[in-house]
């Protein structure tokens, strides 16, 4: 199946938005984890949220 220009453009815009969210989440996680143990429940939860964003991004860019 061939992707139309509009579909490709929309996918790129969503990828850019996800990258922005990933960067913001990574910064929040870094700031939260600074001075805390890595097993702190808040750090673990935020890390899992970042993982979800990264997984969504991977799925989005691997779509053909």
């Amino acid at each position: 199946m061939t992707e139309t220009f509009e579909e490709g453009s929309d996918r790129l815009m969503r990828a850019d938005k996800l990258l922005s969210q990933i960067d913001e989440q990574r910064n929040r996680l870094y700031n939260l984890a600074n001075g805390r143990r890595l097993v702190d429940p808040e750090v673990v939860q935020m890390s899992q949220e970042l993982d979800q964003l990264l997984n969504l991004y991977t799925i989005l860019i691997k779509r053909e």
Side-chain angles (χ1 to χ4, degrees):
M1 183 168 125
T2 306
E3 185 174 65
T4 66
F5 176 78
E6 290 82 15
E7 291 169 334
S9 178
D10 182 52
R11 190 162 53 100
L12 287 174
M13 286 174 32
R14 286 184 287 155
D16 283 344
K17 183 177 179 183
L18 267 174
L19 280 176
S20 184
Q21 290 174 324
I22 288 167
D23 190 45
E24 290 173 16
Q25 185 74 5
R26 187 179 287 131
N27 287 330
R28 286 193 297 263
L29 177 58
Y30 176 80
N31 290 330
L32 178 68
N34 190 19
R36 293 187 187 206
R37 295 175 50 105
L38 295 180
V39 294
D40 181 291
E42 287 183 75
V43 173
V44 172
Q45 180 181 349
M46 191 170 287
S47 178
Q48 290 171 342
E49 292 169 5
L50 177 58
D51 287 344
Q52 289 176 347
L53 289 172
L54 290 167
N55 289 337
L56 285 173
Y57 180 77
T58 300
I59 291 166
L60 184 63
I61 62 170
K62 288 193 179 236
R63 261 189 28 202
E64 295 182 41

